[in-house]
Amino acid sequence: MKAAYFHCFSGVSGDMILGALIDCGLDPADLLGDLRGLGIGFRLTEEKVLKRGIRATRVRVSGEDGEPRRRLADIQGIINGSALSPEVKGKSLEIFSNLALAEAKIHGVTPEEVHFHEVGAVDAIVDIVGAVIGLDRLGVEEVWASPVNTGEGFVKTAHGILPVPAPATLELFRGALLYSSGIERELATPTGAAILSAYARGYGSLPRMRIGRVGYGAGELNLPIPNVLRLIMGEKDPGGYPSGPNQEPVNANLLTEEAVMVETNIDDMNPELYDYLFGKFLREGAMDVFLKPIQMKKNRPAVTLSVLCAPEKVEHFCAQILAETTSLGVRTYRVAKYLVPHEIVTCETEAGTARAKIGFQGDQIGNIAPEYEDCRRLAEEKGLPLKAIYDLVRQAALDVIRSRGINGLVKGKKG
């Protein structure tokens, strides 16, 4: 199976993805010919540059002066009216729908009301549709990614000064592994997040694969590290991900990743504070946060507060727990996570657009989990029972996956 692995040690953006695809063998002439079918005016140039000693392809896209502010319907009209293949149209529309859903949630409007600003500009349209064209032309069947270096600090946008990662970027990367290496710049952009999250079946170490081509897409920043996105392409070993240097895979179809559990026992804190802590820790990158009831000395009822996080986040969450709770100490231990390969798909239902997470077991569907926030929004907008929305989204997600030739659920699993 032909697979692509995006190594996002310096973040990810639309132009970096496009540059990496060209560096991996995508013919610029073929790309340009396909993009001309969109019927919009733009200029695309590519050049070889050096980024901290690494030769990479830098792609620049520019549009015409006075571009209109576009909504989702405008972009859907451009794509649907193009000469692109049905597969490229479908995936491009999915990515823009994901962007609209993310922006709508952040700004408190419906997806149809979103003005795309930066991501509606010609360069973003070309980056997104170009990435879909490139992966299609290179015959990529599966996409995987490393944890994504997002950067930190603040960035100036059409909505004003926003924290990094930008809110839309975080929303699009729900379920992904993120971290910051301390560089105060925006390394992961909403456009890059939209493309990668629509394709990546998992985030972790390089899977077992027979390497074919390696490409580097250059970003526009000059950083202490090479500002490039590395794309590794090749034939993926059916065994998938290794479980670590001293472990045997539990199951050849499972992904593995390292994590750290940070815990503390608390018996003297106002329980009203836990809701605040859960939201704060999850926004700051915790993989999971939960409480367990315990009995402590002198038979006092208490709880264990557990925060599961990436290894590079341990110091942060240790400090946060000690600052935000009444605890005087924490303990940590490493754990191995085993995950089924999964992806998030955007579903069109009679009630509206929503996302669902699909888990795979081998070549079959293991589970379908509609996105709660999307379903709740549709239930409130349409005045329908939430469980009815769940059923609509689950069936639509199943139809999306079956359209790719994947038939049915694993025996014993309900959709």
Side-chain angles (χ1 to χ4, degrees):
M1 175 177 291
K2 194 167 188 178
Y5 178 78
F6 286 96
H7 190 190
C8 309
F9 61 85
S10 192
V12 62
S13 64
D15 57 340
M16 292 170 80
I17 291 174
L18 209 51
L21 289 167
I22 291 174
D23 215 47
C24 261
L26 173 63
D27 189 331
D30 290 340
L31 172 65
L32 193 58
D34 290 344
L35 288 170
R36 291 299 182 198
L38 290 169
I40 56 176
F42 68 92
R43 294 180 297 278
L44 187 150
T45 61
E46 54 98 9
E47 61 177 333
K48 303 302 179 186
V49 298
L50 279 177
K51 290 288 184 177
R52 293 286 177 181
I54 295 181
R55 176 182 168 279
T57 297
R58 177 82 177 100
V59 171
R60 289 183 174 87
V61 180
S62 57
E64 300 172 345
D65 294 335
E67 287 184 52
R69 292 173 63 188
R70 296 181 175 90
R71 295 187 180 185
L72 180 60
D74 301 318
I75 295 173
Q76 289 173 332
I78 290 172
I79 294 172
N80 282 323
S82 73
L84 299 169
S85 70
E87 293 77 17
V88 170
K89 285 183 180 180
K91 196 66 179 181
S92 300
L93 291 170
E94 176 188 332
I95 294 171
F96 272 106
S97 293
N98 290 344
L99 269 170
L101 285 165
E103 293 282 357
K105 181 176 180 181
I106 298 302
H107 301 298
V109 297
T110 66
E112 292 73 25
E113 295 173 307
V114 169
H115 279 105
F116 277 99
H117 300 291
E118 291 96 336
V119 296
V122 163
D123 57 342
I125 296 174
V126 171
D127 285 345
I128 289 172
V129 178
V132 177
I133 291 169
L135 289 167
D136 181 68
R137 278 193 168 272
L138 292 175
V140 174
E141 299 170 90
E142 278 192 5
V143 173
W144 304 88
S146 71
V148 180
N149 188 0
T150 62
E152 56 188 69
F154 294 88
V155 63
K156 186 176 181 180
T157 74
H159 297 288
I161 304 297
L162 296 178
V164 174
T169 299
L170 276 181
E171 188 64 28
L172 288 159
F173 269 141
R174 279 183 177 270
L177 288 175
L178 308 180
Y179 72 98
S180 171
S181 63
I183 296 174
E184 293 197 358
R185 300 297 295 268
E186 184 184 35
L187 303 185
T189 68
T191 303
I195 297 169
L196 192 62
S197 62
Y199 277 101
R201 297 190 64 176
Y203 298 82
S205 302
L206 179 69
R208 287 195 293 262
M209 59 191 297
R210 191 177 301 278
I211 304 302
R213 291 179 170 177
V214 179
Y216 295 87
E220 64 179 25
L221 302 174
N222 291 315
L223 305 174
I225 61 175
N227 184 213
V228 299
L229 172 68
R230 179 157 59 184
L231 174 58
I232 303 171
M233 295 182 59
E235 292 296 322
K236 183 169 171 286
D237 187 313
Y241 275 86
S243 299
N246 300 314
Q247 296 177 329
E248 291 298 320
V250 172
N251 183 306
N253 293 315
L254 295 181
L255 311 182
T256 67
E257 65 186 33
E258 284 192 348
V260 176
M261 192 72 77
V262 184
E263 290 185 343
T264 188
N265 296 341
I266 304 174
D267 64 0
D268 59 349
M269 193 172 86
N270 182 347
E272 293 177 334
L273 302 180
Y274 288 116
D275 178 61
Y276 168 78
L277 293 182
F278 274 46
K280 175 181 173 65
F281 291 168
L282 289 170
R283 287 192 300 272
E284 293 176 354
M287 298 175 183
D288 202 0
V289 186
F290 55 93
L291 297 174
K292 293 180 291 188
I294 59 172
Q295 201 81 11
M296 291 181 63
K297 60 187 177 184
K298 299 182 180 179
N299 293 317
R300 284 193 293 238
V303 297
T304 296
L305 171 64
S306 301
V307 179
L308 185 66
C309 65
E312 60 268 16
K313 288 283 189 178
V314 173
E315 290 186 9
H316 171 78
F317 284 113
C318 286
Q320 286 297 304
I321 289 172
L322 294 175
E324 295 280 1
T325 74
T326 57
S327 175
L328 299 178
V330 299
R331 58 186 176 272
T332 68
Y333 54 92
R334 286 187 174 266
V335 298
K337 290 182 63 179
Y338 294 91
L339 308 88
V340 296
H342 59 273
E343 69 173 287
I344 297 174
V345 298
T346 300
C347 311
E348 299 293 337
T349 75
E350 59 189 70
T353 304
R355 291 165 295 181
K357 183 177 289 185
I358 314 293
F360 297 92
Q361 294 187 19
D363 59 355
Q364 292 185 302
I365 305 167
N367 191 47
I368 299 176
E371 175 66 34
Y372 165 73
E373 292 291 349
D374 292 352
C375 293
R376 185 182 73 170
R377 172 180 54 80
L378 292 179
E380 292 172 347
E381 289 176 1
K382 305 299 181 181
L384 294 172
L386 181 59
K387 64 179 183 180
I389 299 294
Y390 262 70
D391 289 340
L392 287 174
V393 174
R394 191 178 287 113
Q395 183 58 53
L398 186 59
D399 291 341
V400 169
I401 297 300
R402 282 177 172 168
S403 70
R404 303 179 190 173
I406 301 175
N407 295 312
L409 299 171
V410 171
K411 187 176 182 180
K413 292 280 186 179
K414 292 185 178 181

